[in-house]
Amino acid sequence: MNYEKPKGTYDLLPGTTEKWQFIEETARLIFRDYQYQEMRTPIFEHYEVIARSVGDTTDIVSKEMYDFYDKKNRHVTLRPEGTAPVVRAFVENKLFGPEYAKPYKTYYVGPMFRYEQPQAGRQRQFHQIGVEAFGSDNPAVDVESMAMAMDFFKQLGISEIKLVINSLGDKESRAAYRQALIDYLEPKAEELSEDSKRRLHENPLRVLDSKDRKDKAIVADAPSILDYLNEPSKAHFDAVMQMLDELEIPYVIDQNMVRGLDYYTHTIFEIMSEAKKMGSQSTICAGGRYDGLVEELGGPETPGFGFAMGIERILLTLEAEEIIIPEINEIDAYVVGIGADTNLASLKLVQAIRNFGFSADRDFMNRKPKAQFKTAAKLNAKLVLTIGESELLEGIVNVKNMASREEKAFKLTDIYERFSEVYDEMTTIMFD
Ligand code: ATP
Ligand code: MG
């Protein structure tokens, strides 16, 4: 019997989840500024949705899918990425209709699943924050998207990053490049890895994405896709670069970058951490344009642009840059109950305080007053309400401002009926 978590997964415990919430909340705020709205799709999809979009010959589909047959023999898979499901939902819900604003901008946050060799920054269940914009082929959408990602990292305090871009051009440019690449790779076929040998004719662009060391050396001298862009593709890429320059967003071009998914066209990009302490999994954000994908899944001709960021890798980047995430760990009031008879009164007090919209906690373990005060201090409680058996008989409670040490007795009914006022009175500075 194995009662341990599956390989490549993690339990995210309190202490860590606060950091996740901070990252997610920062993303939500930025996305709102850019007018992206959240979408939530199922964790599993029909296998075909993913295979068709991401591509049969990619590592993701050919090796990394958590796919299975359900009880009615439907071939389904845990989602390995977010774009294909969102595109599927975009088509299925007819979000291309005239009643929706264009471009249709949406984001998602959630777990993705890939059967990979686990290591730092690479899990089998990992989490992505991703965005998609449907319906515009304007290069300004590409640039706005990349700017949004850069903004997000800046907001988190991350600065040691670089933006890497390339273009895969349109279908025609890719076909021309495909042939040039085959011509270059064929004479060297024997030296390629088994995977790359197979892909050489199936999907030669995949060879450029190989992680094999020998393959990497061979593709280093491969022809550049940028030399095969036709006029419209070149114009698009030139416009993207010009707009990045205008916005003073620094970038580098990597002519060999192709990305691990087949659906990309035109602009593709990655954002990498350059922090010294960052391990080898340094790509924290990746995406690009996917102008044929909506049609591929049965929708009308609709251009698209999106990216995804790995939350685990963002956390590693924050650690590598030694950025401290602000800890929000304080409560408005802590109730110290002295003696067993105050159990019910303590319960009523915290409930009353919470009902007024404040945060409150109390002791449940019958601990000594000193230990309770220690907890209140650890929780950074603004006020401590103390009630002992004699106070209970008199119907009063002692309220103390922990910062100013100011104390005052209130009637229990004051707390039950007008705690907001008590809170204001006790937290307005009463000393010089
Ligand atoms: P890599 O080359 O690192 O395998 P990828 O090209 O497969 O990345 P994408 O599919 O573009 O990555 O996913 C976007 C982002 O999601 C990555 O840049 C990374 O931050 C994160 N990511 C992808 N796979 C994993 C994983 N197995 N574990 C953790 N994060 C991941
Ligand atoms: Mg991968």
Side-chain angles (χ1 to χ4, degrees), residues 114 116 121-123 126 128 211 259 283-284 286 308 310 313:
R114 296 184 195 175
E116 297 201 69
R122 197 176 288 288
Q123 296 81 43
F126 62 102
Q128 286 186 336
K211 302 231 154 80
R259 311 272 319 107
T283 302
I284 50 180
R313 290 195 199 170

Side-chain angles (χ1 to χ4, degrees), residues 79-246:
R79 61 184 188 191
E81 59 102 53
T83 301
V86 169
V87 170
R88 197 263 314 131
F90 178 82
V91 173
E92 192 166 343
N93 295 285
K94 299 194 171 57
L95 304 176
F96 44 77
E99 64 272 43
Y100 299 104
K102 275 193 186 58
Y104 188 92
K105 294 177 177 179
T106 184
Y107 76 89
Y108 58 85
V109 179
M112 306 294 162
F113 306 85
R114 296 184 195 175
Y115 193 80
E116 297 201 69
Q117 199 47 49
Q119 50 189 289
R122 197 176 288 288
Q123 296 81 43
R124 291 187 173 172
Q125 173 170 339
F126 62 102
H127 300 77
Q128 286 186 336
I129 301 176
V131 307
E132 318 290 350
F134 295 99
S136 169
D137 58 10
N138 187 338
V141 169
D142 310 26
V143 173
E144 182 190 86
S145 242
M146 292 187 271
M148 181 167 76
M150 296 299 274
D151 262 6
F152 167 72
F153 291 122
K154 192 171 147 198
Q155 192 72 40
L156 288 176
I158 293 172
S159 60
E160 296 167 59
I161 47 175
K162 72 171 175 197
L163 169 65
V164 184
I165 65 169
N166 193 23
S167 173
L168 297 176
D170 60 9
K171 260 201 191 129
E172 187 186 273
S173 310
R174 269 168 81 152
Y177 178 60
R178 185 191 143 93
Q179 197 47 55
L181 196 54
I182 293 176
D183 293 346
Y184 169 82
L185 290 172
E186 254 176 350
K188 303 176 172 59
E190 280 317 304
E191 300 159 55
L192 289 171
S193 68
E194 283 310 310
D195 271 347
S196 291
K197 244 181 243 165
R198 186 167 44 77
R199 286 164 168 168
L200 172 53
H201 290 100
E202 274 175 15
N203 191 349
L205 255 71
R206 289 271 70 80
V207 179
L208 294 185
D209 200 35
S210 170
K211 302 231 154 80
D212 182 272
R213 213 162 42 96
K214 257 173 98 188
D215 289 356
K216 276 186 169 170
I218 293 171
V219 301
D221 297 322
S224 161
I225 181 132
L226 297 181
D227 295 328
Y228 292 83
L229 297 185
N230 59 13
E231 270 317 305
S233 299
K234 197 173 167 313
H236 186 96
F237 195 48
D238 286 344
V240 166
M241 291 189 285
Q242 196 206 332
M243 289 171 187
L244 285 170
D245 291 337
E246 288 286 339

Side-chain angles (χ1 to χ4, degrees), residues 282-310:
S282 61
T283 302
I284 50 180
C285 175
R289 187 162 272 288
Y290 45 83
D291 285 353
L293 186 53
V294 173
E295 281 165 280
E296 195 71 42
L297 290 188
E301 194 180 327
T302 309
F305 192 96
F307 65 72
M309 312 188 279

